[in-house]
Amino acid sequence: MIRSLATAALTLSTLVGVVPADAADTVHRGRTGCFSWSWKDGGVLTTTVYYRNRCTTTHTLRIHWSSEASGDEDIKVKGGAKGSTWSFYSLRPLGFADLGRA
């Protein structure tokens, strides 16, 4: 009886597409121009992006979100500053760009 319950649970989790916790927590990191950025998979309704301006001058960071409702977000960041932003509609950012000095 216990063996058949375990087999049924394993089969159900395979069919439903359960993702192991460590796979859902993948952290993505990168650099573009003056900025370094990171974000993590696994958000249910939101995704938070963390960024840092590695230059000494103010630059504008553009984040292109996966949802058309979120679109592109431009953030003016002082030299050496860091921060975060999030999107309620997008589960991930599609791209980052340093738009240059602000």
Side-chain angles (χ1 to χ4, degrees), residues 3-66:
R3 177 180 279 167
S4 62
L5 286 175
T7 303
L10 181 60
T11 303
L12 180 61
S13 68
T14 303
L15 291 175
V16 173
V18 174
V19 178
D22 58 342
D25 291 337
T26 301
V27 176
H28 303 271
R29 299 179 198 280
R31 292 183 184 173
T32 183
C34 286
F35 293 97
S36 58
W37 49 263
S38 66
W39 61 278
K40 183 169 84 170
D41 286 337
V44 177
L45 294 175
T46 66
T47 298
T48 302
V49 170
Y50 300 91
Y51 54 84
R52 180 174 159 248
N53 182 349
R54 298 176 298 126
C55 293
T56 58
T57 56
T58 301
H59 280 246
T60 301
L61 172 66
R62 173 170 285 170
I63 301 173
H64 179 67
W65 293 100
S66 61

Side-chain angles (χ1 to χ4, degrees), residues 47 49 51 60-65 70-76 84-87 95-97 99:
T47 298
V49 170
Y51 54 84
T60 301
L61 172 66
R62 173 170 285 170
I63 301 173
H64 179 67
W65 293 100
S70 296
D72 291 339
E73 180 178 3
D74 294 346
I75 306 164
K76 192 168 152 180
S84 63
T85 188
W86 60 278
S87 173
F96 299 87
L99 299 182

